[in-house]
Amino acid sequence: MIVTSPMFRRCVAAAATLGIAATPLALNAADNPTVGFLMADYTTSARWQFDRDFFIAELKKLDPGVNVVVDDAKTDQTRQQTQAASLLTSGAKVLLDVPVDSTQAAAIVRAAHDNSPAVPVIAYDRLINNSDVDAYVTFDPVAVGRQQAQYIVDHLKTGTLISIAGAETDNNAIEFHRGAMEVLEPLVKSGRYKLPYDHYTPNWDSNAAQAETASELNNLGNKIDGILVANDGMAGGVVAALRAQHLDGKVLVTGQDATVAGLQNVLTGEQSMTVYKPIRKLAEAAARMTDAYLKGQKPKTDTTMKNGKIDVPTVLLPVVTVTKANIKSTVVADGFVTKEQLCNGIPASACSGL
């Protein structure tokens, strides 16, 4: 138990009233602090379970007595705010948040900072907009979109494209799209590509992505050459729509997250590429940041990101384009996936070279 003087408690309460985040208290060695990890949902991408497991393992190396409580909002921002309130009531010392809605999640930051003592909030992978969020740890989201679009440019001289972006409530989806359009828009204006369809997809829903693709295939008489898809989950739906028209493997399809299903589609030729975000490095950076806050220290960051209110101290990590040619030297070599996982359920010929 941490004992503080009445004067200190009054100072903390005053700081909270003014909207000033108090410096987190250093923990005694005997303390077993609770850290809350608020997840948007586990279903839109299989990667999130890796984030959870890697983070817990790394944080326990740094703080063996820590208790990590992970809550899944199941794509419901209101549920996530209730989960955050419960964690604060139960005495959580730090919150990490993968927001469902990057703007509405500002309420979680306010509640954490109004707590006594104030609780720091780390935006994990997705920025929390228009808030005083304490820190942000992420991959370079604009680079993700640029790499997806550059792959299209490098492998498709001309043609008709459609774009299936992620959830517009997710700040990352907007940044992925912005990066891609920095590359593609000048080429659409020049006439090299046509882009008749470019829409965000609520909740990153793979079924919606499949329906969007099927509709556009019908509208365009199956004359689509490339599909800019924001992640592997939706790319799976896109591939299903293409398969129904016997176009799988004939249309360039992008992805992101290097999920097992996405990588298998890359191996079979139905998906062209994915963007690998070394999740272990992200989780480890978040654990170091959390450990610093638990010890009353300011975490080390390397840049800042504007969130509409402040410049948020940020750790920004690079991303990697993965194709069939480099799966072995990237995701397999990193231990992110195994050959056995990738080759399970697909033709043996697709695994040659692994």
Side-chain angles (χ1 to χ4, degrees):
M1 178 178 180
I2 300 172
V3 180
T4 59
S5 69
M7 177 62 75
F8 180 84
R9 288 195 294 270
R10 286 195 293 272
C11 290
V12 169
T17 300
L18 293 171
I20 302 170
T23 301
L25 294 174
L27 299 176
N28 295 323
D31 287 329
N32 295 312
T34 294
V35 170
F37 201 161
L38 298 162
M39 290 283 189
D41 84 300
Y42 284 138
T43 59
T44 54
S45 176
R47 63 156 284 197
W48 295 113
Q49 296 177 40
F50 288 96
D51 291 82
R52 175 198 64 198
D53 294 347
F54 290 152
F55 172 77
I56 293 173
E58 184 63 20
L59 186 59
K60 282 187 174 291
K61 291 179 186 177
L62 301 170
D63 300 282
V66 74
N67 174 41
V68 181
V69 178
V70 182
D71 284 326
D72 179 9
K74 302 184 187 299
T75 73
D76 185 334
Q77 184 61 46
T78 300
R79 179 185 284 118
Q80 187 175 84
Q81 288 169 205
T82 300
Q83 291 167 340
S86 177
L87 284 163
L88 292 170
T89 299
S90 65
K93 303 299 184 185
V94 181
L95 295 183
L96 290 86
D97 187 12
V98 183
V100 177
D101 186 304
S102 294
T103 298
Q104 291 184 32
I108 291 174
V109 178
R110 290 194 297 271
H113 287 181
D114 286 344
N115 195 71
S116 183
V119 172
V121 180
I122 300 169
Y124 184 94
D125 194 67
R126 299 175 181 176
L127 187 58
I128 300 176
N129 293 327
N130 301 312
S131 72
D132 293 308
V133 65
D134 297 88
Y136 179 34
V137 56
T138 190
F139 297 102
D140 187 341
V142 176
V144 171
R146 287 184 187 136
Q147 289 188 24
Q148 291 170 332
Q150 192 59 50
Y151 186 92
I152 292 173
V153 172
D154 292 343
H155 294 84
L156 194 63
K157 290 184 178 180
T158 188
T160 298
L161 310 175
I162 65 171
S163 166
I164 297 179
E168 198 167 12
T169 54
D170 178 352
N171 184 74
N172 272 2
I174 295 171
E175 295 298 286
F176 299 150
H177 186 264
R178 178 165 72 88
M181 291 304 138
E182 285 178 3
V183 176
L184 292 178
E185 276 185 350
L187 301 175
V188 171
K189 289 179 180 178
S190 73
R192 175 171 172 176
Y193 300 120
K194 295 179 181 178
L195 185 64
Y197 185 85
D198 177 19
H199 287 272
Y200 288 97
T201 306
N203 295 325
W204 297 83
D205 188 271
S206 60
N207 292 325
Q210 181 174 348
E212 291 175 74
T213 304
S215 176
E216 287 309 298
L217 286 169
N218 181 64
N219 291 340
L220 297 168
N222 284 348
K223 297 186 182 302
I224 293 176
D225 302 288
I227 306 180
L228 174 70
V229 190
N231 78 346
D232 290 352
M234 295 195 303
V238 168
V239 167
L242 291 170
R243 192 179 293 129
Q245 298 298 318
H246 307 290
L247 291 172
D248 47 311
K250 299 177 182 178
V251 176
L252 189 155
V253 177
T254 71
Q256 176 190 181
D257 290 336
T259 64
V260 170
L263 291 165
Q264 287 180 324
N265 284 337
V266 171
L267 287 169
T268 60
E270 294 173 297
Q271 183 175 323
S272 309
M273 60 84 75
T274 186
V275 176
Y276 170 46
K277 301 183 292 190
I279 292 168
R280 187 184 298 274
K281 293 181 180 179
L282 180 71
E284 289 173 350
R288 290 191 296 271
M289 192 176 280
T290 302
D291 173 62
Y293 281 127
L294 289 176
K295 293 172 179 171
Q297 301 167 358
K298 184 177 180 180
K300 295 179 180 178
T301 55
D302 49 33
T303 187
T304 60
M305 295 283 282
K306 296 182 183 298
N307 76 346
K309 185 176 183 181
I310 64 170
D311 292 332
V312 183
T314 300
V315 172
L316 198 62
L317 300 170
V319 297
V320 180
T321 294
V322 175
T323 66
K324 186 173 183 177
N326 70 346
I327 284 179
K328 183 177 180 180
S329 63
T330 54
V331 292
V332 175
D334 281 1
F336 183 66
V337 295
T338 65
K339 178 180 177 180
E340 290 70 28
Q341 287 175 306
L342 292 178
C343 296
N344 183 33
I346 65 173
S349 58
C351 286
S352 62
L354 289 183

